[in-house]
Amino acid sequence: MKAVGTLWIAIALAGSGGCAGLGAKPWEHDLLAEHAMQVSAYPIEAGMDDHVYFSKEASSGGRSFAGGGCGCN
Amino acid sequence: MQLKPKMAANPPGVRRALAAAAAGLLAGGHAKAQEAPVDAPTTTIDSAVLVYHEVNRVQAIEPEVNLSHKLNEDSTFNFGITADSLTGATPLGAVPSTLSQSYVRPYKVIPLGTPVTVTSASGGSTVVLVPPPTGAKTQTLAASTVVPPNTYPFDHAFHDERIAGHLGWEQALTQNFKVDGGIAYSKEHDYRSESAHIGLSQDFNGHNTTLSAAVNYESDLSFPIGGTPTPLTPMNGNWKGPDASLHEVDALVGVTQVMSRRWLATLSYSYSDAHGYQTDPYKIISVVDSVSGQPNEQLYESRPDQRRKQSIFFDNKIHLTTDVISASLRGYKDDWGIKSLTADLRYRWQIGMNYYIEPHLRYYTQGAADFFHYYLVSGEAIPQYASADTRLAKFHAQTYGVKFGIPFDETSELNLRVEYYDQHGNGSPAGAIGQLQQQNLFPDLKAYTLLLGYTFAF
């Protein structure tokens, strides 16, 4: 659970302005607004990939929830 | 069949819905600085067809359609449906032998006294009658399959169909705070899953930082063909026990940070706690002779009823002059003793204004579950949990792919992706007994996928 603690520290720092030096001004979000830069640009493709790997490998979770909704693993 | 081969085949709407929901939350509001035009499309149709082909194993085809409709500036409704069909061969879990082997599994229950004709079933198996116990009012038909010498045992009669759907809602409560929720359902002929999720996200720092959290509850029911077998009992053609349930709670927290004008990073942690039936009812494990290595007996596998999974996912999107790099790492571990690492890299190469080509590389490596055994040995104590499912073994895998896309505008695109997946494990474990030294105990897996996607908005 050490990793979990580290993650929460990172989140807390980000939320408290620890990332204030990062980021972009509102008028600099042009590239970030492009479709290819979206976290979920291709949700069907990502979902299909996750499920294929879920059914062929022992790991799951990360990008999305760990559950599978099927009996394949 | 909930056989593992369900793989590509049954990509459930559930998983897809959750992926979209979670990713949507993690996406944050970094794009909000771009105000949508007044006449922007309000409805998006996202569709895809996956064709999945494993060399000498499972074949699958799966279409999916998702609809997303923006009701107003703050509310979005989404709905999706998918179906899939699988056929082919799946590993049984038993070891190969220099001798011919036969496997029998339940096939059908019929009223006692019904005339039975011995026939050939699909996959080269033969239907046989299981002698009914005294006083029984029904009798069982079983499918018997013969595996030739020096051949890895597969169930060649594997097949499955599935239908799944999800329904979701996303609501912006303030300019910086968003909530979403949804339900999902999927059904196979031997498995049913129902789930519900809710998520929250909060933007900070001028939409440069997004904190998000989501939780999902899933309730599954397994009703295997032939009933649920008692773990570690001999495989046979008799009808087995009642349905088995599984309950799972998943939680995910994450932060998405705009690092610069060209770099977006996401770090997330997910935790999953599952209680209930997690054994594969179709998998078996061989008990071999301690000297010859010949299988004496085939037992149904056994897995723990509880599993706690954790993963950390770090994703980056970097915009170059025109191209975009997507790179991610995932670390995973669970209390079954499995640890894994996944690295994924995509390079979206923009060719002019109208096309792009995106090569894709993925590397995956995992350690074995504590209770994975290639086989058990006669005369030794049978462990409480044992599985020979190679998905729980130590192995590594690579994916090589390329995607070709034609974006028509910001909301419409046609794309085609081809990928090759190659999984390798140790087929000659140290200390293999007798004839097992000359057998391959880890059947390599090679699979091709073809994915055609089309998205448009109006």
Side-chain angles (χ1 to χ4, degrees):
Chain A
M1 299 302 286
K2 184 179 177 183
V4 182
T6 304
L7 174 63
W8 278 112
I9 291 172
I11 291 175
L13 286 174
S16 64
C19 294
L22 303 173
K25 300 299 183 186
W27 56 88
E28 294 178 322
H29 281 227
D30 53 339
L31 300 178
L32 295 164
E34 289 184 10
H35 182 70
M37 287 295 285
Q38 304 310 301
V39 171
S40 184
Y42 298 95
I44 289 186
E45 179 181 331
M48 286 181 169
D49 284 349
D50 282 351
H51 192 71
V52 168
Y53 294 129
F54 168 77
S55 61
K56 291 298 170 191
E57 300 169 348
S59 309
S60 59
R63 187 204 316 270
S64 63
F65 291 118
C70 78
C72 53
N73 203 354
Chain B
M1 316 263 310
Q2 58 198 56
L3 275 212
K4 63 357 200 20
K6 198 153 290 210
M7 80 111 47
N10 44 351
V14 179
R15 167 164 290 271
R16 198 128 322 116
L18 297 180
L25 282 172
L26 292 172
H30 69 271
K32 288 180 180 175
Q34 298 281 312
E35 292 298 333
V38 176
D39 59 349
T42 57
T43 302
T44 300
I45 304 290
D46 197 7
S47 62
V49 177
L50 173 74
V51 178
Y52 178 83
H53 172 83
E54 289 180 3
V55 178
N56 298 323
R57 294 208 212 172
V58 170
Q59 323 297 319
I61 183 167
E62 179 193 5
E64 176 169 346
V65 177
N66 287 344
L67 179 149
S68 174
H69 180 66
K70 200 171 180 62
L71 297 168
N72 53 51
E73 189 63 28
D74 300 322
S75 308
T76 302
F77 162 85
N78 62 77
F79 167 77
I81 188 166
T82 184
D84 51 54
S85 175
L86 304 83
T87 57
T90 180
L92 282 164
V95 296
S97 167
T98 52
L99 306 175
S100 177
Q101 301 185 77
S102 66
Y103 299 87
V104 63
R105 59 178 172 78
Y107 177 68
K108 195 178 199 178
V109 172
I110 59 175
L112 191 64
T114 303
V116 176
T117 303
V118 174
T119 60
S120 293
S122 61
S125 59
T126 301
V127 175
V128 298
L129 178 64
V130 177
T134 304
K137 296 180 179 177
T138 59
Q139 55 190 351
T140 301
L141 296 179
S144 176
T145 304
V146 175
V147 177
N150 302 312
T151 303
Y152 197 91
F154 281 87
D155 178 356
H156 290 273
F158 171 69
H159 68 94
D160 200 5
E161 290 80 37
R162 168 196 189 84
I163 187 157
H166 65 268
L167 206 58
W169 188 279
E170 184 179 294
Q171 182 74 41
L173 298 179
T174 70
Q175 187 178 3
N176 295 319
F177 183 63
K178 186 170 68 179
V179 59
D180 81 72
I183 55 175
Y185 177 85
S186 74
K187 177 79 170 15
E188 302 154 58
H189 69 276
D190 59 357
Y191 203 83
R192 186 186 72 209
S193 176
E194 300 163 324
S195 66
H197 72 274
I198 187 168
L200 309 169
S201 70
Q202 174 74 50
D203 290 351
F204 300 90
N205 302 331
H207 295 308
N208 282 315
T209 304
T210 302
L211 297 184
S212 57
V215 62
N216 178 70
Y217 173 74
E218 180 177 320
S219 177
D220 296 357
L221 187 66
S222 171
F223 33 95
I225 298 171
T228 305
T230 302
L232 301 177
T233 60
M235 183 188 200
N236 60 61
N238 295 321
W239 215 255
K240 310 297 193 302
D243 303 345
S245 61
L246 171 67
H247 303 279
E248 181 167 341
V249 175
D250 302 306
L252 184 149
V253 294
V255 56
T256 297
Q257 175 67 41
V258 174
M259 308 298 285
S260 71
R261 182 185 174 217
R262 298 179 180 276
W263 180 14
L264 181 70
T266 298
L267 181 65
S268 63
Y269 166 78
S270 63
Y271 177 84
S272 170
D273 193 347
H275 294 263
Y277 187 74
Q278 298 179 73
T279 295
D280 189 323
Y282 304 112
K283 292 291 188 188
I284 55 177
I285 183 169
S286 300
V287 181
V288 306
D289 183 85
S290 59
V291 177
S292 69
Q294 295 290 359
N296 291 334
E297 195 173 30
Q298 312 290 357
L299 305 180
Y300 288 107
E301 69 155 41
S302 172
R303 303 185 190 187
D305 284 343
Q306 180 165 326
R307 188 180 190 185
R308 294 191 180 96
K309 299 180 271 193
Q310 300 181 75
S311 61
I312 289 184
F313 180 64
F314 183 45
D315 187 32
N316 293 274
K317 285 184 176 291
I318 301 170
H319 198 298
L320 306 178
T321 307
T322 55
D323 304 343
V324 174
I325 295 174
S326 298
S328 69
L329 278 175
R330 180 186 65 176
Y332 167 95
K333 72 171 187 176
D334 63 34
D335 61 358
W336 284 6
I338 296 168
K339 294 180 180 177
S340 74
L341 184 65
T342 309
D344 193 285
L345 178 65
R346 298 165 200 257
Y347 187 95
R348 179 170 166 137
W349 178 26
Q350 191 69 38
I351 304 174
M353 295 295 291
N354 301 321
Y355 310 98
Y356 71 84
I357 293 177
E358 184 178 79
H360 173 213
L361 293 174
R362 177 183 184 268
Y363 178 77
Y364 174 82
T365 181
Q366 75 172 42
D370 296 335
F371 53 88
F372 172 80
H373 304 276
Y374 286 97
Y375 51 83
L376 301 176
V377 181
S378 289
E380 296 182 0
I382 300 293
Q384 182 180 9
Y385 304 114
S387 174
D389 186 345
T390 52
R391 293 173 304 173
L392 300 176
K394 178 181 179 181
F395 68 80
H396 63 273
Q398 297 89 35
T399 300
Y400 310 94
V402 63
K403 180 179 175 183
F404 177 69
I406 308 174
F408 300 113
D409 53 45
E410 271 303 301
T411 55
S412 303
E413 178 176 325
L414 177 68
N415 55 61
L416 177 67
R417 194 190 74 177
V418 179
E419 292 202 330
Y420 172 66
Y421 177 75
D422 196 0
Q423 186 182 98
H424 292 281
N426 182 8
S428 303
I433 300 172
Q435 64 95 21
L436 295 174
Q437 296 174 26
Q438 65 186 74
Q439 305 289 356
N440 178 12
L441 303 184
F442 190 105
D444 291 341
L445 169 63
K446 302 179 190 305
Y448 297 89
T449 61
L450 182 70
L451 181 64
L452 178 65
Y454 180 55
T455 303
F456 66 99
F458 54 95

